[in-house]
Amino acid sequence: MQHFFHDRARNEGKRVRTRSLLIDSAIALVAERGVLNTTVQELTRAAGLSNGTFYNHFDDREQLIREAATAIAIVLAEDIAERVQDVETGLGRIVVSTDMFISRAAANRDWGKMLSEASKNAFDMQLDFAKNLLADIQLAIGQGAPLQIPDKFRLFQIGALMVLAVEAQLVGRRNKSINRDTCDAMLRLLGATPDQARDAVETYLS
């Protein structure tokens, strides 16, 4: 999936294709070297572009990293939202979506590393996943679940939990309990009691 975003933009205009090419290059290089060891010059060289072209699209390396991480999150969130449409309860959607997000991000090492690196370097990364999560929380509340709409800080905590889970899955052998523990912790952050969180995870990730 090294050229995923450029391939998706094949029928778009030149500007979109160029931005997508830079995003693909950023994902590959950051996954290999980390954010701090990746320069603009290396990014443009990998993309076969000039430094001038880079600055026609992005203000700096940090903006490109944010957009690359967000692009990954959007693709994952859109795919997951489509696949959980048949899950009728808000609680179920929260648990299943979180489990799928962690597993899919970890299954693509470069994508998982990009999400992890972007988070580590404290970029203000707003995952599109939050939009779908809020909709699922509202659905769960409407169905009687004891959850609360999270404020921005609580959303940041949830996002950090998910990225840490992806990072943990990238190290060593895959461990399904990491996903389960993350779902449990997320539900508690949203207001569920320990028993309610445990029961939901056991119900939807059995």
Side-chain angles (χ1 to χ4, degrees):
M1 299 180 72
Q2 192 169 5
H3 304 292
F4 178 87
F5 291 101
H6 188 242
D7 289 345
R8 286 187 84 195
R10 186 176 299 144
N11 297 322
E12 302 291 340
K14 181 178 179 181
R15 183 169 182 81
V16 175
R17 295 199 308 272
T18 301
R19 286 178 74 87
S20 299
L21 187 59
L22 285 165
I23 285 173
D24 281 329
S25 296
I27 293 169
L29 284 175
V30 168
E32 179 184 350
R33 305 180 184 185
V35 172
L36 298 181
N37 295 319
T38 300
T39 66
V40 170
Q41 290 75 16
E42 289 169 330
L43 289 166
T44 54
R45 189 183 307 121
L49 302 169
S50 68
N51 286 356
T53 299
F54 176 92
Y55 289 108
N56 284 335
H57 293 269
F58 300 99
D59 293 336
D60 50 32
R61 177 191 63 181
E62 284 68 28
Q63 183 188 7
L64 171 56
I65 299 304
R66 285 196 301 271
E67 293 205 18
T70 300
I72 291 169
I74 288 173
V75 169
L76 292 174
E78 288 177 346
D79 181 53
I80 291 168
E82 182 177 341
R83 292 176 180 273
V84 299
Q85 285 181 349
D86 293 336
V87 180
E88 296 181 354
T89 69
L91 272 178
R93 290 189 181 192
I94 292 169
V95 171
V96 174
S97 296
T98 301
D99 177 59
M100 291 179 67
F101 188 95
I102 296 167
S103 295
R104 292 182 179 223
N108 183 325
R109 178 185 174 277
D110 286 1
W111 284 21
K113 290 289 288 183
M114 170 58 84
L115 291 174
S116 176
E117 285 288 327
S119 175
K120 277 183 181 178
N121 287 277
F123 295 125
D124 185 20
M125 183 179 62
Q126 297 297 320
L127 300 182
D128 197 65
F129 182 84
K131 179 178 67 177
N132 296 328
L133 174 61
L134 289 171
D136 292 340
I137 293 170
Q138 289 173 332
L139 175 61
I141 292 172
Q143 294 170 334
L147 304 186
Q148 301 171 353
I149 300 295
D151 57 19
K152 288 184 178 180
F153 180 67
R154 195 65 56 85
L155 278 175
F156 178 82
Q157 289 179 297
I158 290 170
L161 267 175
M162 294 175 64
V163 171
L164 284 171
V166 171
E167 186 178 41
Q169 294 286 26
L170 289 171
V171 180
R173 298 168 62 180
R174 298 286 165 77
N175 186 346
K176 196 68 175 177
S177 67
I178 291 173
N179 295 28
R180 297 173 64 89
D181 290 346
T182 303
C183 292
D184 182 279
M186 178 187 295
L187 290 175
R188 295 193 197 194
L189 278 171
L190 292 172
T193 67
D195 286 344
Q196 290 164 341
R198 185 187 63 250
D199 289 346
V201 171
E202 290 179 353
T203 298
Y204 297 105
L205 294 185
S206 57

mmCIF file of all heavy atoms in Angstrom, residues 147-175:
data_model
loop_
_atom_site.group_PDB
_atom_site.id
_atom_site.type_symbol
_atom_site.label_atom_id
_atom_site.label_comp_id
_atom_site.label_asym_id
_atom_site.label_seq_id
_atom_site.Cartn_x
_atom_site.Cartn_y
_atom_site.Cartn_z
ATOM 1 N N LEU A 147 -23.721 6.472 29.085
ATOM 2 C CA LEU A 147 -22.518 7.151 28.602
ATOM 3 C C LEU A 147 -22.698 8.659 28.620
ATOM 4 O O LEU A 147 -23.820 9.161 28.732
ATOM 5 C CB LEU A 147 -22.181 6.681 27.178
ATOM 6 C CG LEU A 147 -21.993 5.179 26.958
ATOM 7 C CD1 LEU A 147 -21.535 4.922 25.530
ATOM 8 C CD2 LEU A 147 -21.013 4.587 27.955
ATOM 9 N N GLN A 148 -21.597 9.372 28.483
ATOM 10 C CA GLN A 148 -21.615 10.826 28.425
ATOM 11 C C GLN A 148 -20.912 11.288 27.156
ATOM 12 O O GLN A 148 -19.958 10.657 26.701
ATOM 13 C CB GLN A 148 -20.904 11.418 29.649
ATOM 14 C CG GLN A 148 -21.505 11.014 30.981
ATOM 15 C CD GLN A 148 -20.641 11.446 32.149
ATOM 16 O OE1 GLN A 148 -19.530 11.928 31.965
ATOM 17 N NE2 GLN A 148 -21.146 11.262 33.357
ATOM 18 N N ILE A 149 -21.391 12.401 26.585
ATOM 19 C CA ILE A 149 -20.704 12.987 25.437
ATOM 20 C C ILE A 149 -19.363 13.541 25.926
ATOM 21 O O ILE A 149 -19.328 14.365 26.835
ATOM 22 C CB ILE A 149 -21.535 14.119 24.802
ATOM 23 C CG1 ILE A 149 -22.885 13.576 24.313
ATOM 24 C CG2 ILE A 149 -20.757 14.763 23.652
ATOM 25 C CD1 ILE A 149 -22.783 12.577 23.196
ATOM 26 N N PRO A 150 -18.245 13.100 25.366
ATOM 27 C CA PRO A 150 -16.937 13.539 25.875
ATOM 28 C C PRO A 150 -16.577 14.955 25.426
ATOM 29 O O PRO A 150 -16.961 15.391 24.337
ATOM 30 C CB PRO A 150 -15.978 12.518 25.252
ATOM 31 C CG PRO A 150 -16.648 12.115 23.979
ATOM 32 C CD PRO A 150 -18.118 12.118 24.276
ATOM 33 N N ASP A 151 -15.848 15.658 26.280
ATOM 34 C CA ASP A 151 -15.327 16.956 25.873
ATOM 35 C C ASP A 151 -14.049 16.727 25.054
ATOM 36 O O ASP A 151 -13.639 15.586 24.830
ATOM 37 C CB ASP A 151 -15.060 17.853 27.086
ATOM 38 C CG ASP A 151 -14.088 17.210 28.090
ATOM 39 O OD1 ASP A 151 -13.362 16.270 27.713
ATOM 40 O OD2 ASP A 151 -14.060 17.669 29.246
ATOM 41 N N LYS A 152 -13.406 17.808 24.619
ATOM 42 C CA LYS A 152 -12.236 17.664 23.750
ATOM 43 C C LYS A 152 -11.089 16.924 24.432
ATOM 44 O O LYS A 152 -10.392 16.122 23.810
ATOM 45 C CB LYS A 152 -11.767 19.043 23.271
ATOM 46 C CG LYS A 152 -12.703 19.683 22.256
ATOM 47 C CD LYS A 152 -12.143 20.994 21.738
ATOM 48 C CE LYS A 152 -13.063 21.592 20.691
ATOM 49 N NZ LYS A 152 -12.535 22.883 20.177
ATOM 50 N N PHE A 153 -10.903 17.194 25.727
ATOM 51 C CA PHE A 153 -9.813 16.522 26.430
ATOM 52 C C PHE A 153 -10.081 15.022 26.538
ATOM 53 O O PHE A 153 -9.174 14.205 26.371
ATOM 54 C CB PHE A 153 -9.623 17.118 27.820
ATOM 55 C CG PHE A 153 -8.516 16.453 28.596
ATOM 56 C CD1 PHE A 153 -7.191 16.580 28.185
ATOM 57 C CD2 PHE A 153 -8.783 15.699 29.725
ATOM 58 C CE1 PHE A 153 -6.166 15.958 28.883
ATOM 59 C CE2 PHE A 153 -7.765 15.075 30.432
ATOM 60 C CZ PHE A 153 -6.450 15.210 30.008
ATOM 61 N N ARG A 154 -11.334 14.658 26.807
ATOM 62 C CA ARG A 154 -11.673 13.233 26.891
ATOM 63 C C ARG A 154 -11.496 12.564 25.529
ATOM 64 O O ARG A 154 -11.024 11.425 25.448
ATOM 65 C CB ARG A 154 -13.120 13.085 27.381
ATOM 66 C CG ARG A 154 -13.490 11.683 27.853
ATOM 67 C CD ARG A 154 -12.714 11.272 29.083
ATOM 68 N NE ARG A 154 -12.848 12.196 30.193
ATOM 69 C CZ ARG A 154 -13.831 12.195 31.079
ATOM 70 N NH1 ARG A 154 -14.795 11.296 30.995
ATOM 71 N NH2 ARG A 154 -13.855 13.060 32.068
ATOM 72 N N LEU A 155 -11.855 13.265 24.460
ATOM 73 C CA LEU A 155 -11.629 12.721 23.120
ATOM 74 C C LEU A 155 -10.138 12.526 22.856
ATOM 75 O O LEU A 155 -9.729 11.554 22.223
ATOM 76 C CB LEU A 155 -12.229 13.650 22.065
ATOM 77 C CG LEU A 155 -13.728 13.516 21.810
ATOM 78 C CD1 LEU A 155 -14.182 14.593 20.819
ATOM 79 C CD2 LEU A 155 -14.082 12.134 21.284
ATOM 80 N N PHE A 156 -9.337 13.473 23.331
ATOM 81 C CA PHE A 156 -7.883 13.344 23.169
ATOM 82 C C PHE A 156 -7.381 12.107 23.908
ATOM 83 O O PHE A 156 -6.539 11.363 23.399
ATOM 84 C CB PHE A 156 -7.183 14.590 23.708
ATOM 85 C CG PHE A 156 -5.686 14.511 23.617
ATOM 86 C CD1 PHE A 156 -5.036 14.805 22.433
ATOM 87 C CD2 PHE A 156 -4.925 14.141 24.712
ATOM 88 C CE1 PHE A 156 -3.651 14.726 22.336
ATOM 89 C CE2 PHE A 156 -3.543 14.061 24.632
ATOM 90 C CZ PHE A 156 -2.905 14.360 23.437
ATOM 91 N N GLN A 157 -7.903 11.871 25.111
ATOM 92 C CA GLN A 157 -7.506 10.679 25.872
ATOM 93 C C GLN A 157 -7.879 9.403 25.122
ATOM 94 O O GLN A 157 -7.097 8.443 25.073
ATOM 95 C CB GLN A 157 -8.186 10.690 27.242
ATOM 96 C CG GLN A 157 -7.656 11.722 28.210
ATOM 97 C CD GLN A 157 -8.393 11.672 29.537
ATOM 98 O OE1 GLN A 157 -9.596 11.907 29.607
ATOM 99 N NE2 GLN A 157 -7.674 11.352 30.598
ATOM 100 N N ILE A 158 -9.077 9.387 24.558
ATOM 101 C CA ILE A 158 -9.524 8.210 23.810
ATOM 102 C C ILE A 158 -8.638 7.982 22.593
ATOM 103 O O ILE A 158 -8.215 6.851 22.299
ATOM 104 C CB ILE A 158 -10.997 8.380 23.400
ATOM 105 C CG1 ILE A 158 -11.893 8.282 24.643
ATOM 106 C CG2 ILE A 158 -11.397 7.340 22.348
ATOM 107 C CD1 ILE A 158 -13.339 8.671 24.389
ATOM 108 N N GLY A 159 -8.333 9.067 21.872
ATOM 109 C CA GLY A 159 -7.450 8.948 20.718
ATOM 110 C C GLY A 159 -6.079 8.424 21.105
ATOM 111 O O GLY A 159 -5.499 7.581 20.413
ATOM 112 N N ALA A 160 -5.552 8.910 22.240
ATOM 113 C CA ALA A 160 -4.245 8.450 22.707
ATOM 114 C C ALA A 160 -4.281 6.966 23.060
ATOM 115 O O ALA A 160 -3.341 6.217 22.765
ATOM 116 C CB ALA A 160 -3.816 9.269 23.918
ATOM 117 N N LEU A 161 -5.376 6.521 23.673
ATOM 118 C CA LEU A 161 -5.530 5.100 24.000
ATOM 119 C C LEU A 161 -5.466 4.243 22.740
ATOM 120 O O LEU A 161 -4.795 3.211 22.696
ATOM 121 C CB LEU A 161 -6.876 4.875 24.682
ATOM 122 C CG LEU A 161 -6.951 4.905 26.205
ATOM 123 C CD1 LEU A 161 -8.400 4.769 26.643
ATOM 124 C CD2 LEU A 161 -6.107 3.787 26.803
ATOM 125 N N MET A 162 -6.170 4.681 21.710
ATOM 126 C CA MET A 162 -6.229 3.894 20.483
ATOM 127 C C MET A 162 -4.875 3.834 19.789
ATOM 128 O O MET A 162 -4.457 2.782 19.295
ATOM 129 C CB MET A 162 -7.297 4.469 19.558
ATOM 130 C CG MET A 162 -8.702 4.321 20.120
ATOM 131 S SD MET A 162 -9.940 5.117 19.093
ATOM 132 C CE MET A 162 -9.799 4.152 17.598
ATOM 133 N N VAL A 163 -4.174 4.967 19.752
ATOM 134 C CA VAL A 163 -2.866 4.986 19.113
ATOM 135 C C VAL A 163 -1.875 4.126 19.898
ATOM 136 O O VAL A 163 -1.065 3.394 19.313
ATOM 137 C CB VAL A 163 -2.354 6.434 18.976
ATOM 138 C CG1 VAL A 163 -0.898 6.450 18.515
ATOM 139 C CG2 VAL A 163 -3.220 7.206 17.989
ATOM 140 N N LEU A 164 -1.943 4.182 21.222
ATOM 141 C CA LEU A 164 -1.068 3.332 22.036
ATOM 142 C C LEU A 164 -1.364 1.851 21.795
ATOM 143 O O LEU A 164 -0.454 1.015 21.785
ATOM 144 C CB LEU A 164 -1.240 3.672 23.513
ATOM 145 C CG LEU A 164 -0.574 4.962 23.989
ATOM 146 C CD1 LEU A 164 -0.999 5.288 25.412
ATOM 147 C CD2 LEU A 164 0.948 4.855 23.889
ATOM 148 N N ALA A 165 -2.634 1.524 21.599
ATOM 149 C CA ALA A 165 -2.995 0.138 21.312
ATOM 150 C C ALA A 165 -2.425 -0.308 19.974
ATOM 151 O O ALA A 165 -1.910 -1.429 19.841
ATOM 152 C CB ALA A 165 -4.518 -0.017 21.321
ATOM 153 N N VAL A 166 -2.493 0.565 18.973
ATOM 154 C CA VAL A 166 -1.907 0.253 17.663
ATOM 155 C C VAL A 166 -0.408 0.025 17.816
ATOM 156 O O VAL A 166 0.157 -0.945 17.288
ATOM 157 C CB VAL A 166 -2.179 1.391 16.655
ATOM 158 C CG1 VAL A 166 -1.387 1.158 15.371
ATOM 159 C CG2 VAL A 166 -3.668 1.488 16.348
ATOM 160 N N GLU A 167 0.246 0.916 18.552
ATOM 161 C CA GLU A 167 1.689 0.789 18.758
ATOM 162 C C GLU A 167 2.035 -0.526 19.453
ATOM 163 O O GLU A 167 2.998 -1.200 19.082
ATOM 164 C CB GLU A 167 2.188 1.970 19.585
ATOM 165 C CG GLU A 167 3.699 2.013 19.722
ATOM 166 C CD GLU A 167 4.145 3.227 20.496
ATOM 167 O OE1 GLU A 167 3.496 3.580 21.502
ATOM 168 O OE2 GLU A 167 5.149 3.836 20.093
ATOM 169 N N ALA A 168 1.244 -0.885 20.458
ATOM 170 C CA ALA A 168 1.494 -2.140 21.178
ATOM 171 C C ALA A 168 1.339 -3.343 20.257
ATOM 172 O O ALA A 168 2.089 -4.322 20.370
ATOM 173 C CB ALA A 168 0.536 -2.256 22.367
ATOM 174 N N GLN A 169 0.390 -3.275 19.331
ATOM 175 C CA GLN A 169 0.180 -4.389 18.401
ATOM 176 C C GLN A 169 1.298 -4.492 17.370
ATOM 177 O O GLN A 169 1.528 -5.554 16.799
ATOM 178 C CB GLN A 169 -1.171 -4.229 17.679
ATOM 179 C CG GLN A 169 -2.390 -4.355 18.582
ATOM 180 C CD GLN A 169 -2.658 -5.790 19.000
ATOM 181 O OE1 GLN A 169 -1.772 -6.633 19.046
ATOM 182 N NE2 GLN A 169 -3.905 -6.087 19.318
ATOM 183 N N LEU A 170 1.983 -3.380 17.132
ATOM 184 C CA LEU A 170 3.077 -3.400 16.165
ATOM 185 C C LEU A 170 4.339 -4.031 16.738
ATOM 186 O O LEU A 170 5.266 -4.369 16.006
ATOM 187 C CB LEU A 170 3.397 -1.970 15.704
ATOM 188 C CG LEU A 170 2.355 -1.304 14.800
ATOM 189 C CD1 LEU A 170 2.694 0.172 14.617
ATOM 190 C CD2 LEU A 170 2.269 -1.998 13.453
ATOM 191 N N VAL A 171 4.396 -4.151 18.058
ATOM 192 C CA VAL A 171 5.573 -4.712 18.730
ATOM 193 C C VAL A 171 5.288 -6.165 19.101
ATOM 194 O O VAL A 171 4.403 -6.455 19.901
ATOM 195 C CB VAL A 171 5.922 -3.917 19.997
ATOM 196 C CG1 VAL A 171 7.143 -4.529 20.679
ATOM 197 C CG2 VAL A 171 6.169 -2.456 19.655
ATOM 198 N N GLY A 172 6.036 -7.060 18.507
ATOM 199 C CA GLY A 172 5.859 -8.474 18.837
ATOM 200 C C GLY A 172 4.627 -9.074 18.178
ATOM 201 O O GLY A 172 4.120 -8.593 17.173
ATOM 202 N N ARG A 173 4.112 -10.113 18.778
ATOM 203 C CA ARG A 173 2.977 -10.856 18.229
ATOM 204 C C ARG A 173 1.682 -10.147 18.542
ATOM 205 O O ARG A 173 1.538 -9.492 19.575
ATOM 206 C CB ARG A 173 2.963 -12.274 18.811
ATOM 207 C CG ARG A 173 4.207 -13.075 18.450
ATOM 208 C CD ARG A 173 4.299 -14.353 19.261
ATOM 209 N NE ARG A 173 3.174 -15.242 19.003
ATOM 210 C CZ ARG A 173 3.023 -16.423 19.580
ATOM 211 N NH1 ARG A 173 3.925 -16.831 20.457
ATOM 212 N NH2 ARG A 173 1.987 -17.183 19.300
ATOM 213 N N ARG A 174 0.702 -10.279 17.637
ATOM 214 C CA ARG A 174 -0.595 -9.641 17.838
ATOM 215 C C ARG A 174 -1.286 -10.238 19.061
ATOM 216 O O ARG A 174 -1.234 -11.437 19.303
ATOM 217 C CB ARG A 174 -1.485 -9.837 16.612
ATOM 218 C CG ARG A 174 -0.921 -9.209 15.348
ATOM 219 C CD ARG A 174 -1.048 -7.707 15.358
ATOM 220 N NE ARG A 174 -0.213 -7.101 14.336
ATOM 221 C CZ ARG A 174 -0.524 -7.074 13.047
ATOM 222 N NH1 ARG A 174 -1.646 -7.615 12.653
ATOM 223 N NH2 ARG A 174 0.283 -6.495 12.185
ATOM 224 N N ASN A 175 -1.926 -9.384 19.827
ATOM 225 C CA ASN A 175 -2.558 -9.796 21.072
ATOM 226 C C ASN A 175 -3.961 -9.200 21.129
ATOM 227 O O ASN A 175 -4.127 -7.994 21.303
ATOM 228 C CB ASN A 175 -1.723 -9.319 22.263
ATOM 229 C CG ASN A 175 -2.241 -9.842 23.582
ATOM 230 O OD1 ASN A 175 -3.358 -10.341 23.678
ATOM 231 N ND2 ASN A 175 -1.427 -9.730 24.613
#
